[in-house]
Amino acid sequence: MVFYLTKEYHMSVTQATTTIFLWNAATNFTPLLGALISDSYLGRFLTIGIGSTFSLLGTILMWLTAMIPFLRPLQCNQMTQEICENPTTLQMAILVISMGLVSIGAGGIRPCSLAFGADQLVKRSDSKNKGLLESYFGWYYACTAIAVLLSMTVVVYIQERYGWKVGYAVPAILMFLSVFLFFVASPLYFKQKERTNLLTGFAQVLVAAYKNRKVPFPPKDAYNKYYHKKNSESSVPTENLRFLNKACIITNPEQDLASDGSEPNSWSLCTVERVEELKVIIRVIPIWSTGIMISINVSQGSLQVFQAISMDRHLTPNFEIPAGTFAMFLIISVIAWIVLYDRVIIPLASKIKGEPVRLDVKLRMGIGIFFSCMAMVVAGIVENIRRRKAIMEGHLNNPQAVVQMSALWLIPQFCFHGLAEAFNSIAQSEFFYSEFPKSLSSIAGALSGLGSSVANLLATVILSVVNQSTSKGGKDGWVPDNINKGRYDKYYGLLAIMSFLNLLYFVFCCWAYGPSKDQSSNFGDDDQEEEE
């Protein structure tokens, strides 16, 4: 996309990068809306179906921008002094609409597909399913990574070899097959039917807690003082975020409850279950926020493309790696680690110990943050070496020149990014899905995407602030169009420092959160074994 926007729409590097940041932000924010719509109204199956249809329309419209010359500015040579024509309002509108349709489609697919697949497999109340869930989440991401790998290699190769018309036709055709097969397989799926209006329910908890703020707390063992569903496992609210418990306190049974035991006014009295749903969302927000920095680091891929262009990408005298496919090493690292972890490390460790072995989700998240920090450290070192070589070879004023340095030196930083994603993203999804009640499964699936959305917005802000603050007084700044005059290495160093601070913040958040459900159940199992 960065090549498409710069070559076909005549955008500058900064404009194209910012446009992609904003598009990614929208694509990762809409899943939160999709999750709320899914869990409150439509259900996961229908939400996925509608989202897939919007994605199909978006890819078709994007393909049309390549097919119809009128929908793009006239061609020009950006290397000469020729003034390139800017896109018209209509051309930009068509481009933005196509991106918007893809973002809306992602809002329906991303939050629901992971939870919808998990719904087909297990009952979360069964402790034996922990290993199955972990394996499912890992292989879900592996399949997604394989698809991305194919897009970064096969599709990019088609685009470079046969042009944008054929290149954009491929995802449009594949998206059509995806929508068709999804609806054909409809009778095979288990579809969750229980749905409630989540936003209204959470608002009711806050209002009821405020109304009852002066009501004293009943004794801990006073089960009949809290309003809960019949045959519910949660008859008493937890002690964390205790002020919200007042939303479910029954002050006067004759006034608060109807003759059938239901509450006549949900804005004055809520169920324990609804209170706990709001609590779990509030509690995971700090840990969720620690994954934002990883997404900020990964989103620097557009800048790394320009690094690759300026380096020797030849594997053989007649073959060179396309600059846009270097991110495939990130995906390869994700796939390789998932396979190695699920099929080699865990089985071997379990065999040695004589019982099932699993790395705690919080530990895996922390390892991912560490690898993300290392990725930016390595990126800064490699760019510093590349820039010095470019200056030594006399290419300071020629950003199109190829430095006598192999682009394979970029691979380690992509591998670190891949390990960060493999550890942190998968563990976060498993953590959210395990901590949240089943009624919030789509919300759990949307949180990772929401983090990426926030990350893309913050990445845009960070890039803009850094560029403006370092280009004062007529200076080129750290991230100009001329990569050899810029200081990408210092920019990466700044991100590395922010990543290290994020690691310290993560440790604090884990301490403040306390044991997760997974850890609590493990403690319970250990106690039971000791009693036996």
Side-chain angles (χ1 to χ4, degrees):
M1 282 302 299
V2 72
F3 288 148
Y4 190 63
L5 296 179
T6 54
K7 292 181 179 180
E8 301 296 330
Y9 283 82
H10 310 156
M11 294 185 184
S12 67
V13 173
T14 303
Q15 286 176 321
T17 302
T18 301
T19 300
I20 292 174
F21 277 162
L22 294 175
W23 184 28
N24 286 335
T27 304
N28 288 307
F29 176 75
T30 52
L32 178 62
L33 302 179
L36 292 171
I37 292 172
S38 169
D39 287 347
S40 299
Y41 303 105
L42 300 181
R44 295 184 191 110
F45 173 79
L46 188 57
T47 304
I48 294 173
I50 295 174
S52 299
T53 304
F54 273 102
S55 287
L56 174 60
L57 295 175
T59 54
I60 291 175
L61 191 56
M62 183 71 72
W63 170 64
L64 290 177
T65 64
M67 286 293 296
I68 304 174
F70 174 75
L71 297 180
R72 301 187 314 279
L74 295 176
Q75 291 291 318
C76 71
N77 188 349
Q78 293 173 295
M79 298 303 300
T80 66
Q81 298 299 320
E82 179 184 355
I83 298 177
C84 297
E85 182 180 296
N86 292 325
T88 65
T89 303
L90 176 62
Q91 290 167 345
M92 280 302 300
I94 297 297
L95 178 67
V96 170
I97 290 173
S98 68
M99 290 178 165
L101 289 172
V102 172
S103 297
I104 294 172
I109 298 171
R110 292 188 180 182
C112 301
S113 59
L114 183 64
F116 188 65
D119 289 343
Q120 315 303 312
L121 296 176
V122 298
K123 294 180 179 178
R124 262 184 285 184
S125 57
D126 189 349
S127 61
K128 296 180 181 179
N129 289 321
K130 291 176 183 176
L132 178 60
L133 267 183
E134 180 180 350
S135 181
Y136 164 72
F137 282 118
W139 285 104
Y140 177 92
Y141 275 93
C143 291
T144 305
I146 291 172
V148 174
L149 180 62
L150 290 174
S151 73
M152 290 182 173
T153 53
V154 177
V155 177
V156 169
Y157 174 79
I158 292 173
Q159 288 173 345
E160 289 203 350
R161 183 68 182 274
Y162 301 102
W164 300 108
K165 295 179 181 179
V166 179
Y168 278 151
V170 173
I173 294 171
L174 293 176
M175 197 65 229
F176 171 78
L177 293 174
S178 174
V179 176
F180 175 75
L181 293 174
F182 178 76
F183 283 111
V184 166
S186 174
L188 303 177
Y189 301 136
F190 166 76
K191 300 161 187 172
Q192 186 76 20
K193 294 182 179 180
E194 183 179 353
R195 293 186 289 274
T196 55
N197 193 321
L198 296 177
L199 287 179
T200 301
F202 295 152
Q204 289 170 343
V205 172
L206 296 174
V207 171
Y210 178 77
K211 284 182 176 180
N212 300 334
R213 63 189 182 280
K214 296 182 180 180
V215 175
F217 287 105
K220 293 183 179 180
D221 57 349
Y223 302 106
N224 60 335
K225 290 294 185 179
Y226 292 100
Y227 178 63
H228 56 85
K229 295 179 181 178
K230 293 181 180 179
N231 302 321
S232 172
E233 296 179 0
S234 303
S235 56
V236 175
T238 57
E239 288 298 305
N240 55 73
L241 299 175
R242 195 164 178 252
F243 66 95
L244 292 176
N245 292 352
K246 293 193 174 185
C248 56
I249 296 177
I250 302 174
T251 56
N252 189 332
E254 295 181 356
Q255 295 181 359
D256 296 341
L257 301 178
S259 57
D260 60 353
S262 63
E263 88 286 358
N265 185 4
S266 298
W267 294 95
S268 297
L269 180 64
C270 302
T271 62
V272 171
E273 293 79 12
R274 183 48 52 86
V275 171
E276 293 302 312
E277 286 174 354
L278 179 58
K279 280 185 182 182
V280 73
I281 291 179
I282 296 175
R283 289 188 67 212
V284 302
I285 286 176
I287 291 182
W288 161 79
S289 66
T290 62
I292 294 175
M293 194 65 223
I294 294 180
S295 297
I296 290 177
N297 293 342
V298 172
S299 68
Q300 306 306 317
S302 297
L303 300 180
Q304 292 161 344
V305 166
F306 290 102
Q307 286 180 271
I309 291 175
S310 68
M311 302 171 75
D312 182 9
R313 295 177 278 121
H314 284 89
L315 289 182
T316 68
N318 298 319
F319 177 77
E320 65 177 3
I321 304 175
T325 64
F326 268 84
M328 72 179 180
F329 293 106
L330 184 156
I331 308 302
I332 291 173
S333 300
V334 172
I335 298 171
W337 173 253
I338 290 173
V339 174
L340 185 66
Y341 177 79
D342 192 69
R343 295 301 178 186
V344 179
I345 296 177
I346 291 300
L348 182 61
S350 300
K351 185 176 181 180
I352 294 174
K353 192 173 181 180
E355 61 182 30
V357 173
R358 294 175 62 245
L359 288 180
D360 178 67
V361 289
K362 290 181 182 177
L363 176 61
R364 281 183 276 149
M365 283 189 275
I367 293 174
I369 294 174
F370 171 77
F371 278 133
S372 182
C373 179
M374 292 303 300
M376 300 319 299
V377 171
V378 172
I381 294 173
V382 171
E383 171 55 19
N384 183 268
I385 297 173
R386 188 212 63 80
R387 181 177 179 273
R388 284 193 284 112
K389 279 185 172 291
I391 295 174
M392 289 175 58
E393 295 172 10
H395 302 316
L396 179 63
N397 296 313
N398 185 10
Q400 304 300 322
V402 176
V403 179
Q404 296 303 308
M405 176 180 178
S406 174
L408 297 181
W409 283 104
L410 296 174
I411 293 178
Q413 66 198 56
F414 282 109
C415 291
F416 276 121
H417 281 309
L419 290 173
E421 286 280 315
F423 273 98
N424 189 270
S425 297
I426 296 174
Q428 268 207 355
S429 294
E430 184 183 344
F431 175 73
F432 298 146
Y433 189 82
S434 300
E435 292 294 297
F436 283 22
K438 197 151 191 171
S439 59
L440 300 180
S441 293
S442 297
I443 300 293
L447 281 179
S448 295
L450 179 62
S452 298
S453 175
V454 175
N456 280 284
L457 291 175
L458 289 178
T460 304
V461 173
I462 293 171
L463 180 62
S464 177
V465 170
V466 168
N467 220 22
Q468 289 180 10
S469 60
T470 57
S471 60
K472 293 180 179 179
K475 297 180 180 179
D476 291 308
W478 285 3
V479 195
D481 288 348
N482 186 339
I483 185 175
N484 295 329
K485 286 187 175 182
R487 294 307 304 261
Y488 285 26
D489 52 343
K490 291 185 177 181
Y491 178 60
Y492 292 151
L494 174 64
L495 295 178
I497 294 172
M498 295 172 64
S499 299
F500 177 73
L501 296 176
N502 183 55
L503 180 60
L504 300 179
Y505 170 62
F506 171 77
V507 173
F508 172 77
C509 290
C510 288
W511 170 80
Y513 188 88
S516 61
K517 287 185 179 179
D518 184 47
Q519 292 172 320
S520 300
S521 62
N522 288 339
F523 294 152
D525 294 341
D526 294 341
D527 295 340
Q528 187 176 0
E529 289 176 4
E530 290 176 2
E531 291 175 1
E532 291 176 354

